[in-house]
């Protein structure tokens, strides 16, 4: 029995082109899968709760009591001037609760570095502010605990001298 060989399958230029197309299709399939994972992760993330912090008349600080659950995040915005001293202290019912402090113009999301990270440095920030503008104090439950939908109650004390 004589086997038939297709002249197309033995042509080197066509064989190379077909292999190149297979590689491109594999890449596109992986890219589509990666995008699907990225969008699924973004769907789990929630929009942050943004609150403006204003101190009571004649006071240089305030105390905030609140609860969070899962991926909830609160961003407290407060105006301050360069050279002022800011103290932020967090007391929480869940040891997986942290806060970050961002300088004016900086924000969470990977594009900016926090001025302070409680996860790295402890639950109290005490520092002289480098610039004037709106500072952000972001309170959140870390990702592992948020994934388990844990909750927390916390007290956040903010003072600016």
């Amino acid at each position: 029995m004589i086997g038939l060989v297709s002249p197309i399958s033995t042509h080197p230029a066509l064989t190379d082109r077909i292999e190149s197309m297979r590689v491109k299709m594999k890449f596109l399939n992986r890219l589509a899968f990666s995008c699907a994972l990225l969008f699924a992760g973004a769907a789990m993330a929630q929009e942050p709760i943004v609150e403006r912090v204003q101190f009571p008349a004649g006071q240089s600080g305030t105390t905030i009591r609140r609860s969070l659950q899962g991926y909830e995040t609160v961003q407290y915005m407060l105006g301050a001037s360069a050279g002022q001293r800011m103290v932020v202290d967090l007391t929480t019912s869940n040891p997986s609760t942290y806060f970050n402090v961002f300088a004016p113009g900086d924000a969470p999301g990977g594009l900016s570095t926090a001025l302070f990270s409680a996860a790295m440095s402890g639950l109290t920030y005490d520092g002289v502010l480098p610039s004037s503008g709106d500072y952000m104090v972001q309170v959140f439950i870390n990702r592992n605990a948020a994934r388990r939908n844990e909750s927390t109650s916390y007290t956040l004390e903010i003072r600016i001298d």
Side-chain angles (χ1 to χ4, degrees), residues 2-159:
I2 300 175
L4 297 175
V5 176
S6 168
I8 294 176
S9 65
T10 58
H11 194 278
L14 287 177
T15 303
D16 289 346
R17 184 162 170 89
I18 290 169
E19 184 58 28
S20 173
M21 290 173 66
R22 283 186 187 138
V23 169
K24 287 178 184 174
M25 288 303 295
K26 261 188 197 177
F27 171 77
L28 290 174
N29 284 335
R30 287 182 181 158
L31 180 63
F33 180 73
S34 297
C35 287
L37 287 177
L38 178 65
F39 290 125
M44 286 188 343
Q46 295 180 352
E47 285 295 314
I49 300 161
V50 179
E51 293 184 6
R52 169 70 55 187
V53 175
Q54 297 194 312
F55 301 153
Q59 301 289 316
S60 61
T62 191
T63 300
I64 300 165
R65 289 177 181 80
R66 188 178 180 98
S67 298
L68 291 176
Q69 184 167 356
Y71 288 97
E72 288 181 322
T73 299
V74 182
Q75 296 175 348
Y76 297 101
M77 306 298 294
L78 62 152
S81 298
Q84 287 185 302
R85 179 175 168 235
M86 182 163 72
V87 177
V88 180
D89 187 49
L90 178 68
T91 306
T92 176
S93 66
N94 184 328
S96 295
T97 307
Y98 298 105
F99 72 92
N100 293 324
V101 176
F102 289 92
D106 289 342
L111 301 177
S112 301
T113 301
L115 181 65
F116 176 84
S117 172
M120 305 292 279
S121 303
L123 298 180
T124 300
Y125 168 73
D126 186 343
V128 176
L129 302 177
S131 57
S132 297
D134 279 339
Y135 282 80
M136 177 194 305
V137 178
Q138 172 198 37
V139 180
F140 60 96
I141 300 172
N142 79 14
R143 188 180 346 203
N144 289 337
R147 193 176 301 129
R148 293 187 299 270
N149 203 34
E150 291 184 18
S151 62
T152 187
S153 294
Y154 65 87
T155 300
L156 185 70
E157 295 181 48
I158 303 173
R159 291 189 320 271

